[in-house]
Amino acid sequence: MSKQIKVALIGNPNTGKTSVFNQLTGLKQKVGNYPGITVEKKEGVCKLPRGVKAHILDLPGTYSLNTTSLDESVVVELLLNKNDKDFPDVAVVISDVENLKRNLLLFTQIKDLKIPVILVINMADRMSRTGISLDIELLEEKLDTKIALVSTRKGTGIDQIKDLIADYKNLSITPNVDTTVIAPDYFEKLKSTFPKEDLYKLWLVITQDVNFMPIEKNPITIAASFATKSKSELKRLQQKETILRYQFINGILKQAYKVDINAAKGLRATLDKILTHKIFGYLIFFVILLTIFQAIYDWSSYPMDFIDESFASASEWVKDTLPPGVFTNLIAEGILAGIGGIVIFIPQIAFLFLFIALLEESGYMSRVVFLMDKLMRPFGLSGKSVVPLISGTACAIPAIMATRTIENWKERLITILVTPFTTCSARLPVYLIIIALVIPEGRFLGLSYQALTLMLLYLMGFGAAIFSAMILNKIMKIKSKTFFVMEMPNYKLPLIKNVVYTVWEKTKSFVLGAGKIILAISIILWFLGSNGFSDNFANADEIVSEQIEKQGFSDFNKTNIESTMASYKYALQDSIEKKAYALDHVAISDSLRLKEMALQEKATNQEIASYKLENSYMGYMGKAIEPVVRPLGYDWKIGIAVLTSFAAREVFVGTLATIYSVGSDEEDTIKNRMAAEIDPRTKRPLFNLASGISLLLFYAFAMQCMSTLAIVKRETNTWKWPAAQLVFMSLFAYIVALIAYQILK
Amino acid sequence: MTTTVAHLRRGQKGIIKEFADGILPIKLLELGCLPGNEIELVQVAPLKDPIYINVNGTHIAIRRSMAALIELEITEDFPL
């Protein structure tokens, strides 16, 4: 097999670089992170003519090689380090025909590094509409390169890029601009000190951290301590270099680039006027947010229900088909349920990224930042943080993934850290059942207390998010770009292919990245809840059966069976009287007996499950933490439910159902059973106003979701942040719940 | 008339004057904010900040505080 040609795609943001990458590589892409940092690394393979293959690296978008952000320093460090395994054989600079002048700045810098470079001029389809004409031959000659005129929208010119890459050895590596003229003496001195090094490279190394110091800097092998000039002097020289390059570019474009001004205006100005309007702008953004919300909250519930049912029945099938035993249980209740818990997120992630891809691709997202910047700035958040914060109300997982669009690392990190405070849909079942139990019915200004409580919980979630963002903004010492300069790209119709790739790639990265962690934790939780070390656990079936034989069912189950039987009997007699069917006495008593037996069997199973859970590892853990949760007004049963709901908050209700040995499928029964629970110490209902409010507050603030922790680990590339989140949020929740309970009790 | 970008009204244009070195972030220069180039104020965000300018064909949003550092010579005055 022949050696792969290493290609690096470089370009300004918004030039369609990703489209070019997608068209070159298709779905043969790999997305990861650069080691140690959170900059996304995209790679792929492209087949060239004559059986040659190219390894394509899509570098982060950058306006120049003067680094001001982590993304840009990734590009510069790669291009300066010949020993890097990704150092390109050939660089492909992607430019956009409408912004050619600005794009060429970066091109000339790369050319001066003496790396073979091809210029791609993208969006050729817009030339006629915007009145641009180009003299490609003259450009090739003056820039001393090869040019491919491409339209990723129409799919033209891609083959030409491939041909040029295959032919990269024939590219000239003569520099475009002689940078030394900006300070001849200085460069002369440099030359005599480092006679073997390339001067422009040296210059880039020296100026690399004038504007920006990366969090982690890879040492570059040449002595970078040539600090005979102060930072401000170096900055001034960088400005001179920029002006020099623009002079060079202007000189070329004057001859090779013509634009008919009259054709250029129009749609963009009109759209900008509407979309950034002080009323319509916000209104349109609000409607878009509502649609996103509706999609991830409502539309995705259909595929989610389907996934839920499919996995439940698959689990049943495994239990019925395989011989009973530990292994079968592991597959049915541990692994299958764990995978189900991952797959269930896919609809929400796909929907959210469908919208985000559309917003990004169309150029609208920049307008959102423009609209929201002033509002979000005091909290250390970006205008783009609005989308994750709002989508967090459905689910924090896709919301945290959506922070990828925020370029500034500090703003992004703060958004990631505070998003889990927003009230996600998994908290809703917990809220609803507790509110129904402890908040009295009644109205205030025509609004029911229960509805007001729910609204208050939502507001508190947002409040906690905003408030902690403000604090984090104050205390976090992260060097990042302090100024705000954002390009407002032209509006474009989104390319379906790019949108599909984004959705596909995000879903894949969730399943493969965070999915592993979620699966591992859910198997551990399952194991803890369905295994125990005591004899009580091993002999649960016999112990419970014996107990039932001696003492009968628990009071609640007894009355439950009696009342169900009574109403069944009544219904039966009623239908006989109405002549719905004719039955003799034997048939009636048979039917009643069967019904009773079924109810008893169900009750027995529920009591066994309850007994097992109580004596499992999880049960012991629940009892062990009782002293800790007692001051919050909880007993060990609630303690167990709090522990198990770490898998997902909504599991709280199901766990309580198991532990109170009622069927988890009847919500009213669970509620009645919870209402009937008496705290043996106070002789009052366990779920009273004080403990109820305490639980609500605990669930509002605690980091009760392993999937969120897993995705934060993936997005921040370290366990440090999810661990901090877990500790801080749980502690905060505990303190708030404690205060509430102690005041109200 | 001399003014700064922060003082422009919507639709107004001006030519960037020479500015002291090192005041503006290099990024702004790369995007075309160079002496002699023309700036047009395209749009002001509803809360008055940031502002949206067109410099040399490149459309960028910057905050008012930074805009106040860019000095201009007004060329075209719209009767607004």
Side-chain angles (χ1 to χ4, degrees):
Chain A
M1 228 187 81
S2 61
K3 186 180 148 288
Q4 285 188 357
I5 302 175
K6 282 182 285 184
V7 182
L9 294 190
I10 310 172
N12 288 186
N14 308 312
T15 49
K17 190 162 61 72
T18 305
S19 308
V20 174
F21 178 70
N22 285 343
Q23 300 217 353
L24 283 175
T25 60
L27 276 176
K28 281 172 281 197
Q29 309 182 352
K30 208 177 85 194
V31 183
N33 274 324
Y34 285 92
I37 51 173
T38 47
V39 178
E40 204 167 75
K41 182 177 185 181
K42 282 177 131 181
E43 306 166 87
V45 174
C46 168
K47 275 191 191 142
L48 300 176
R50 292 182 297 279
V52 186
K53 276 187 187 168
H55 171 264
I56 316 267
L57 178 63
D58 185 17
L59 287 170
T62 175
Y63 290 107
S64 76
L65 297 183
N66 311 322
T67 39
T68 52
S69 74
L70 195 56
D71 279 24
E72 290 167 339
S73 77
V74 166
V75 178
V76 177
E77 273 169 24
L78 173 65
L79 294 181
L80 289 181
N81 188 359
K82 272 217 161 96
N83 300 321
D84 194 306
K85 68 171 175 51
D86 290 324
F87 186 82
D89 297 314
V90 54
V92 176
V93 173
I94 318 286
S95 66
D96 137 29
V97 73
E98 284 178 78
N99 293 300
L100 193 57
K101 190 194 284 179
R102 170 160 53 80
N103 297 158
L104 284 179
L105 181 78
L106 178 65
F107 173 87
T108 61
Q109 283 187 311
I110 292 164
K111 187 89 164 66
D112 293 356
L113 281 173
K114 298 181 185 147
I115 297 171
V117 52
I118 298 162
L119 179 65
V120 169
I121 301 181
N122 192 12
M123 309 197 194
D125 50 292
R126 294 180 79 97
M127 281 169 68
S128 61
R129 185 154 14 125
T130 45
I132 294 169
S133 56
L134 273 177
D135 186 342
I136 298 285
E137 263 175 50
L138 188 67
L139 268 178
E140 282 189 334
E141 184 203 319
K142 295 277 182 185
L143 293 170
D144 191 18
T145 186
K146 289 287 173 193
I147 294 177
L149 194 61
V150 168
S151 163
T152 44
R153 187 165 298 274
K154 297 207 168 125
T156 57
I158 299 292
D159 287 338
Q160 204 192 343
I161 305 180
K162 292 183 186 173
D163 288 339
L164 289 175
I165 292 173
D167 205 24
Y168 79 95
K169 287 199 170 124
N170 294 327
L171 289 164
S172 138
I173 51 165
T174 326
N176 271 163
V177 179
D178 180 11
T179 318
T180 60
V181 301
I182 59 172
D185 298 348
Y186 179 68
F187 278 96
E188 201 52 50
K189 252 194 285 175
L190 270 184
K191 199 175 177 182
S192 51
T193 322
F194 305 102
K196 282 184 194 155
E197 297 295 340
D198 179 74
L199 275 182
Y200 187 60
K201 230 178 224 181
L202 268 179
W203 168 242
L204 281 182
V205 172
I206 291 165
T207 53
Q208 208 187 355
D209 51 8
V210 168
N211 298 294
F212 177 79
M213 177 69 95
I215 298 166
E216 247 173 278
K217 212 177 127 199
N218 298 338
I220 286 166
T221 44
I222 32 181
S225 56
F226 195 76
T228 58
K229 290 211 180 269
S230 70
K231 271 198 175 186
S232 62
E233 278 178 300
L234 288 174
K235 269 190 194 174
R236 191 174 317 150
L237 286 181
Q238 267 189 337
Q239 296 200 350
K240 272 194 170 170
E241 183 199 335
T242 308
I243 293 170
L244 181 75
R245 288 185 187 281
Y246 266 120
Q247 279 167 354
F248 170 78
I249 295 162
N250 281 336
I252 296 173
L253 289 188
K254 214 173 260 172
Q255 300 166 38
Y257 185 92
K258 298 267 182 317
V259 57
D260 174 12
I261 307 272
N262 295 329
K265 288 219 168 182
L267 186 64
R268 174 193 185 112
T270 320
L271 277 175
D272 269 337
K273 219 169 242 165
I274 301 168
L275 293 177
T276 60
H277 187 268
K278 58 183 164 221
I279 296 163
F280 299 124
Y282 287 112
L283 211 63
I284 291 168
F285 182 45
F286 185 69
V287 169
I288 290 174
L289 279 180
L290 268 184
T291 316
I292 296 179
F293 195 70
Q294 174 74 7
I296 46 182
Y297 205 88
D298 193 25
W299 300 345
S300 57
S301 70
Y302 301 104
M304 285 170 84
D305 288 347
F306 174 74
I307 291 167
D308 207 19
E309 280 160 25
S310 308
F311 273 90
S313 49
S315 177
E316 282 299 313
W317 182 83
V318 169
K319 270 196 248 175
D320 292 345
T321 321
L322 293 179
V326 184
F327 183 67
T328 306
N329 280 344
L330 172 70
I331 295 180
E333 287 165 11
I335 298 176
L336 266 179
I339 296 176
I342 301 163
V343 176
I344 195 99
F345 287 117
I346 290 180
Q348 288 184 327
I349 291 174
F351 264 124
L352 183 57
F353 277 97
L354 173 71
F355 282 103
I356 288 189
L358 289 175
L359 297 186
E360 286 272 349
E361 280 269 310
S362 61
Y364 179 71
M365 201 62 122
S366 306
R367 275 70 186 180
V368 171
V369 180
F370 182 68
L371 280 177
M372 302 303 293
D373 176 69
K374 182 84 189 268
L375 278 175
M376 306 305 280
R377 213 186 304 164
F379 309 110
L381 298 171
S382 148
K384 289 189 186 176
S385 308
V386 180
V387 176
L389 282 177
I390 299 292
S391 5
T393 322
C395 178
I397 313 293
I400 285 171
M401 291 174 72
T403 59
R404 284 246 156 161
T405 53
I406 303 171
E407 293 90 0
N408 183 313
W409 169 237
K410 187 177 175 184
E411 290 172 349
R412 188 173 150 211
L413 184 60
I414 293 180
T415 315
I416 291 176
L417 292 179
V418 305
T419 296
F421 272 125
T422 52
T423 306
C424 67
S425 55
R427 284 176 173 104
L428 210 52
V430 183
Y431 285 176
L432 290 180
I433 202 158
I434 306 262
I435 286 178
L437 272 178
V438 305
I439 304 294
E441 283 180 31
R443 280 170 193 282
F444 175 74
L445 295 177
L447 292 163
S448 87
Y449 289 140
Q450 303 195 338
L452 280 173
T453 312
L454 189 62
M455 196 185 77
L456 217 61
L457 285 164
Y458 271 90
L459 289 179
M460 270 189 327
F462 269 118
I466 293 286
F467 185 67
S468 32
M470 217 154 69
I471 294 174
L472 286 170
N473 186 34
K474 285 260 153 52
I475 59 173
M476 275 210 298
K477 297 270 175 288
I478 289 182
K479 288 233 174 171
S480 58
K481 204 164 67 174
T482 49
F483 55 87
F484 173 88
V485 176
M486 181 185 61
E487 193 191 349
M488 305 285 273
N490 217 334
Y491 294 102
K492 293 182 206 86
L493 217 57
L495 279 178
I496 294 178
K497 213 173 182 179
N498 286 350
V499 174
V500 171
Y501 279 6
T502 307
V503 172
W504 167 253
E505 191 263 299
K506 294 292 165 187
T507 313
K508 199 173 93 181
S509 91
F510 167 75
V511 172
L512 300 181
K516 275 181 278 186
I517 306 170
I518 298 175
L519 182 61
I521 301 181
S522 52
I523 290 176
I524 293 172
L525 284 176
W526 163 80
F527 176 81
L528 292 176
S530 56
N531 288 278
F533 47 74
S534 64
D535 289 342
N536 285 352
F537 183 88
N539 305 319
D541 290 17
E542 292 92 65
I543 295 174
V544 175
S545 307
E546 210 173 288
Q547 209 175 348
I548 294 172
E549 231 161 82
K550 275 194 206 146
Q551 302 163 9
F553 289 105
S554 67
D555 293 345
F556 186 82
N557 272 341
K558 218 185 277 173
T559 41
N560 196 27
I561 292 178
E562 277 165 14
S563 68
T564 316
M565 282 309 293
S567 58
Y568 183 71
K569 212 168 180 174
Y570 177 79
L572 206 60
Q573 263 155 7
D574 192 44
S575 45
I576 292 172
E577 273 165 30
K578 285 182 185 151
K579 310 253 189 297
Y581 26 76
L583 287 173
D584 58 31
H585 278 290
V586 184
I588 292 174
S589 67
D590 271 359
S591 160
L592 286 174
R593 204 161 44 82
L594 282 174
K595 178 75 181 173
E596 185 159 17
M597 273 168 67
L599 283 173
Q600 280 171 348
E601 198 195 329
K602 194 176 160 208
T604 310
N605 284 337
Q606 284 164 357
E607 293 201 6
I608 292 174
S610 162
Y611 189 80
K612 273 189 166 172
L613 182 55
E614 184 185 337
N615 286 287
S616 68
Y617 296 113
M618 192 64 91
Y620 282 99
M621 286 163 70
K623 284 176 188 161
I625 65 160
E626 194 177 4
V628 183
V629 295
R630 182 107 293 259
L632 307 183
Y634 316 155
D635 64 353
W636 61 269
K637 294 177 182 172
I638 302 180
I640 295 178
V642 167
L643 287 179
T644 52
S645 63
F646 190 63
R649 291 179 177 93
E650 69 268 24
V651 171
F652 178 81
V653 181
T655 307
L656 280 183
T658 308
I659 212 153
Y660 290 142
S661 62
V662 294
S664 57
D665 43 351
E666 309 139 36
E667 203 162 301
D668 277 341
T669 321
I670 304 172
K671 207 172 85 187
N672 292 337
R673 178 63 187 82
M674 285 167 76
E677 180 77 0
I678 301 291
D679 187 339
R681 302 190 199 190
T682 57
K683 310 281 180 231
R684 288 198 304 157
L686 181 68
F687 292 93
N688 51 46
L689 186 68
S691 66
I693 297 278
S694 153
L695 257 180
L696 287 177
L697 289 172
F698 188 81
Y699 270 82
F701 299 130
M703 176 46 120
Q704 284 281 91
C705 180
M706 57 162 183
S707 311
T708 305
L709 291 175
I711 200 72
V712 172
K713 151 75 175 64
R714 180 170 159 79
E715 292 297 313
T716 59
N717 226 347
T718 156
W719 278 109
K720 182 173 108 185
W721 295 115
Q725 249 176 338
L726 178 65
V727 172
F728 175 75
M729 289 178 69
S730 307
L731 215 61
F732 181 66
Y734 185 85
I735 293 169
V736 174
L738 178 73
I739 294 172
Y741 181 72
Q742 295 301 333
I743 291 175
L744 290 170
K745 87 172 170 181
Chain B
M1 197 181 89
T2 304
T3 182
T4 73
V5 175
H7 294 93
L8 286 179
R9 274 173 291 145
R10 230 173 34 198
Q12 225 177 4
K13 289 179 185 171
I15 303 278
I16 305 177
K17 297 214 302 190
E18 288 289 333
F19 46 76
D21 303 314
I23 286 184
L24 296 178
I26 184 84
K27 205 93 295 179
L28 212 49
L29 274 70
E30 287 162 8
L31 288 167
C33 265
L34 295 170
N37 279 345
E38 190 182 56
I39 287 192
E40 178 192 349
L41 184 71
V42 178
Q43 190 63 277
V44 177
L47 296 165
K48 304 282 173 231
D49 199 11
I51 61 170
Y52 175 179
I53 56 174
N54 174 0
V55 50
N56 214 13
T58 296
H59 295 73
I60 48 180
I62 56 175
R63 288 186 183 153
R64 208 163 262 285
S65 52
M66 196 192 288
L69 302 174
I70 310 172
E71 291 203 341
L72 290 175
E73 198 73 51
I74 300 280
T75 47
E76 217 174 306
D77 217 344
F78 276 82
L80 267 172

